[in-house]
Amino acid sequence: MEEVNDFEMVNPESDHILGSGSHDLESSSESPYPGIPTTSEPPLSKRFREEIRQHHAHLQVWQRPSLLVICTIIGLYCLSEMLFITPMISLSLNKVCEGLEQDTDPKTSSLCDMSQVQTTLSFITCFKMILCNLISLVVAGKIGPLSDRIGRTKIFVYMGLVTIIGNTISAFSVSSYIGTHIYFIIFAGSMTSFTGGTFAVAANINSYITDVIEPDDRTVSMGTIGSIMHATAGLAPLFSSFLIKANNGNDMVSIYCSMFAIILFTLVCVFFMKEPRHPEAMEISQASYKKRQESMESTHSIKLGGSNTIISKLKQTIHFKMVQFFDVFSPLKELWLPPTSQGSLIPRYNVLLLVVVDSLVVLIRVAIMPALILFTTYEYGWKSVEIGYFISFSGISNAIILAVSSWCVKRWFQKKHKKLNYSVDRIDITIFQFGFICFFIGTLVFMTNASNYKYLLIDVIIKCIGSVIDPSLQSAIAKYYGTNTGQLFGALALLHIMGMLVLPAIMLGMYGATVSFKPEAFLYLPLIASIIGFTLTFFLRVIYIEEPLFKETEIDHDGDIMNDNDSQVENLT
């Protein structure tokens, strides 16, 4: 027990971090790594999890906060989204065509020019995508911290209500009850972006998981959620096509089913879903938020009082309003971890490196899709039906493979390496490397014969195997944080949205510049990104530690450190 006593002597603040006046430390001989003490006293986030679990123990299984509950409601949400998207494409085409017919002399033509329809619809889609991303960028920065203060369930309710209103207005904009108004269609289609977009939804899901799931099981849980989302994305278009065909081509039937699903989602969240976040954790987040706001207002009042002229006061007021506006990006500060008490920057270094790796995955997996869809229409002559089948194939394949691989890969690697709860570990790093190898091989196989769509399907399957990297990345980043994961995942959502403002445009620009002589040239970007991502994983450092690095309630301030980490660092380079 000598090592335990040394640990207590050099870590006088451990009592405060563990949230208890006393703590029992197990003998270091029981640790898989000699000389590294372990503890049986749970940290703050674990205490919150256990108390919430006990508080909801009397409820039915389908009411208690759990993976089952979040999978159910996210299945409803994704079903609603995909059932709505499919008919809106044809309804928008018909509406634009109807508007062009009104502008055409009926004596000369009774049909609209389809090339002009495509041009107009491309303008609508591009304008709407930019507007949606800008709105999501602002809202997503607020949603994450807000979920820490008021809870995850209320955020889901808000998202459900906004989606109901937005989808209703969007469906009305392409209905027969109103004429063709291009900018109204754009505005209506952008309404649902006030939820913060897909990335904000995913961020709130991940925050929910970190509230109710143990750190050891988060990777598998996030993988399960991902498989549910992909499965719904794959099956919903097929279900939508079946509904429309069964009702003599009536697209509105799918719209009605979509509205039923999102209304059911909202009602479940209001009446049945229980809040997974501990009230004390919400109070801590609210107090931290109020303190920050009061500090900003106090500083503004002091500077305003020191202004002698109207112009200087006006400048100060404008400056304060600008600070308040750009405060939407404040969650990004969560990614800049403070130094340890020994001055080590390894946690900050690891988190920033993981964020870069995560951005590369977004480029490879998401940002490529607009250019890839255009490529399929050009190279293979695919229409909406074939594209729908391709999306369904991708979604179902991703769901099945991710559900299996996220569990099997994790279990297999755990037999070879130690699982760490408060630092990126060998299991995480190996999964990252495995994922990038799959991305590289898949892209390379596709590029060898891009003119054959079968190679595209092989690429999809190989990348689906490597998609286990997604939940592993989210779980690895969350290890460095305590209970305020809403701000963390809000920051990641902001980065994803900013990336989607730029990366697809780069992909489309490269595709447009090379389509006449080498249409598959845009694939070099994800190929290079796979190589860079794989290389960066070798620079991650493992900290073999059994306790959180920072006070969970003060990680965004100058957090205190529990252990002497520098002596426990393995430099993977």
Side-chain angles (χ1 to χ4, degrees):
M1 296 293 291
E2 265 183 295
E3 294 169 342
V4 174
N5 294 331
D6 291 340
F7 172 78
E8 290 177 333
M9 289 174 63
V10 299
N11 293 276
E13 297 170 339
S14 57
D15 287 342
H16 300 288
I17 303 216
L18 296 175
S20 173
S22 62
H23 52 280
D24 279 332
L25 296 176
E26 297 173 358
S27 173
S28 61
S29 62
E30 298 177 7
S31 173
Y33 295 86
I36 303 173
T38 59
T39 179
S40 59
E41 182 71 22
L44 189 60
S45 57
K46 186 172 184 179
R47 177 171 70 82
F48 286 165
R49 247 191 333 271
E50 291 177 349
E51 289 181 0
I52 282 291
R53 194 171 292 146
Q54 293 172 3
H55 179 70
H56 293 134
H58 67 284
L59 299 175
Q60 298 293 331
V61 175
W62 45 270
Q63 279 189 302
R64 291 197 294 264
S66 63
L67 183 63
L68 173 65
V69 171
I70 192 68
C71 284
T72 302
I73 66 165
I74 291 309
L76 284 173
Y77 187 88
C78 293
L79 179 65
S80 170
E81 288 291 289
M82 297 308 297
L83 286 177
F84 188 81
I85 289 173
T86 305
M88 282 298 293
I89 296 173
S90 58
L91 287 172
S92 299
L93 280 169
N94 295 336
K95 198 63 181 176
V96 171
C97 183
E98 177 187 313
L100 292 176
E101 285 179 359
Q102 295 173 357
D103 297 334
T104 305
D105 187 354
K107 296 180 180 179
T108 59
S109 175
S110 59
L111 296 173
C112 57
D113 184 358
M114 290 309 296
S115 62
Q116 193 173 354
V117 171
Q118 289 288 326
T119 301
T120 305
L121 196 59
S122 297
F123 168 77
I124 292 173
T125 303
C126 184
F127 201 142
K128 186 167 66 175
M129 184 176 68
I130 294 173
L131 185 59
C132 286
N133 283 329
L134 289 175
I135 295 173
S136 297
L137 185 65
V138 174
V139 176
K142 297 293 186 182
I143 287 291
L146 185 62
S147 74
D148 282 339
R149 301 198 302 271
I150 68 173
R152 322 302 184 194
T153 303
K154 290 185 177 65
I155 296 298
F156 281 129
V157 172
Y158 163 77
M159 289 177 172
L161 292 174
V162 171
T163 303
I164 292 171
I165 296 171
N167 286 354
T168 301
I169 297 174
S170 186
F172 177 73
S173 70
V174 295
S175 69
S176 58
Y177 299 103
I178 189 174
T180 304
H181 304 285
I182 291 175
Y183 290 102
F184 179 62
I185 294 174
I186 294 172
F187 166 77
S190 305
M191 287 291 292
T192 54
S193 298
F194 285 95
T195 62
T198 304
F199 292 119
V201 175
N204 203 47
I205 293 170
N206 289 336
S207 298
Y208 182 101
I209 289 175
T210 56
D211 287 337
V212 301
I213 303 296
E214 300 295 335
D216 283 350
D217 300 321
R218 285 175 188 169
T219 299
V220 173
S221 299
M222 290 179 181
T224 303
I225 289 290
S227 66
I228 293 292
M229 296 175 73
H230 286 298
T232 308
L235 293 172
L238 294 178
F239 181 53
S240 176
S241 298
F242 171 77
L243 286 174
I244 293 171
K245 287 181 180 180
N247 289 273
N248 300 319
N250 185 0
D251 292 303
M252 291 305 297
V253 174
S254 185
I255 298 289
Y256 296 146
C257 290
S258 168
M259 296 302 296
F260 173 78
I262 193 63
I263 290 172
L264 183 60
F265 163 86
T266 307
L267 292 176
V268 169
C269 290
V270 171
F271 296 106
F272 298 101
M273 190 176 183
K274 301 301 179 182
E275 178 56 49
R277 187 155 171 80
H278 197 285
E280 185 180 337
M282 287 190 281
E283 290 175 5
I284 292 171
S285 299
Q286 184 66 28
S288 177
Y289 172 76
K290 286 184 177 180
K291 182 179 178 181
R292 187 168 177 274
Q293 293 299 312
E294 289 171 359
S295 176
M296 290 173 58
E297 291 175 2
S298 176
T299 302
H300 170 62
S301 299
I302 293 172
K303 291 182 177 180
L304 193 65
S307 302
N308 298 322
T309 63
I310 296 178
I311 295 177
S312 61
K313 289 184 177 181
L314 181 61
K315 287 181 178 180
Q316 182 56 41
T317 302
I318 293 173
H319 176 265
F320 179 65
K321 295 298 180 182
M322 291 294 291
V323 169
Q324 285 184 317
F325 174 77
F326 285 106
D327 188 55
V328 69
F329 299 103
S330 61
L332 293 176
K333 293 191 296 184
E334 295 295 315
L335 303 176
W336 192 261
L337 290 178
T340 67
S341 59
Q342 289 77 27
S344 173
L345 296 176
I346 292 173
R348 180 193 297 175
Y349 164 86
N350 277 346
V351 167
L352 295 179
L353 203 54
L354 288 170
V355 168
V356 174
V357 171
D358 186 48
S359 300
L360 291 172
V361 173
V362 171
L363 185 151
I364 297 168
R365 300 271 297 156
V366 184
I368 192 179
M369 291 308 296
L372 183 62
I373 295 299
L374 284 179
F375 174 82
T376 60
T377 61
Y378 175 81
E379 190 70 24
Y380 313 136
W382 284 1
K383 305 299 181 184
S384 57
V385 174
E386 290 82 3
I387 293 173
Y389 289 150
F390 172 67
I391 294 173
S392 295
F393 172 79
S394 301
I396 295 171
S397 300
N398 217 331
I400 296 173
I401 296 174
L402 183 60
V404 175
S405 63
S406 62
W407 187 85
C408 293
V409 170
K410 176 177 177 287
R411 298 299 177 189
W412 187 73
F413 284 135
Q414 277 187 341
K415 294 179 181 179
K416 296 179 175 293
H417 304 290
K418 176 179 171 59
K419 178 67 177 177
L420 302 176
N421 292 331
Y422 302 108
S423 169
V424 61
D425 52 46
R426 285 280 193 175
I427 298 174
D428 298 323
I429 293 170
T430 308
I431 290 176
F432 301 158
Q433 293 169 350
F434 172 77
F436 281 116
I437 290 173
C438 290
F439 296 156
F440 178 82
I441 294 175
T443 306
L444 193 63
V445 167
F446 181 33
M447 291 179 68
T448 57
N449 193 355
S451 60
N452 189 337
Y453 76 91
K454 293 180 181 178
Y455 285 81
L456 172 59
L457 301 183
I458 295 173
D459 173 36
V460 169
I461 293 175
I462 295 175
K463 286 182 177 176
C464 286
I465 296 174
S467 63
V468 68
I469 193 175
D470 290 325
S472 298
L473 267 171
Q474 308 300 315
S475 176
I477 296 174
K479 289 178 180 181
Y480 292 92
Y481 296 82
T483 59
N484 292 335
T485 52
Q487 295 194 59
L488 165 64
F489 291 116
L492 295 178
L494 276 175
L495 289 178
H496 291 162
I497 294 169
M498 287 190 285
M500 290 302 293
L501 277 171
V502 178
L503 297 177
I506 295 175
M507 289 280 195
L508 288 168
M510 187 172 180
Y511 173 75
T514 61
V515 66
S516 59
F517 59 92
K518 194 175 179 60
E520 70 275 13
F522 72 97
L523 294 172
Y524 282 108
L525 287 179
L527 192 71
I528 295 171
S530 300
I531 297 172
I532 295 173
F534 179 79
T535 304
L536 289 178
T537 60
F538 288 93
F539 293 91
L540 290 167
R541 298 182 181 182
V542 178
I543 303 176
Y544 292 107
I545 195 169
E546 298 292 340
E547 300 293 342
L549 291 167
F550 304 99
K551 281 187 178 180
E552 295 186 285
T553 58
E554 298 181 3
I555 195 166
D556 57 337
H557 305 295
D558 294 329
D560 298 322
I561 305 306
M562 289 189 59
N563 297 318
D564 186 359
N565 303 312
D566 296 337
S567 61
Q568 309 294 349
V569 172
E570 176 190 0
N571 190 339
L572 298 184
T573 60

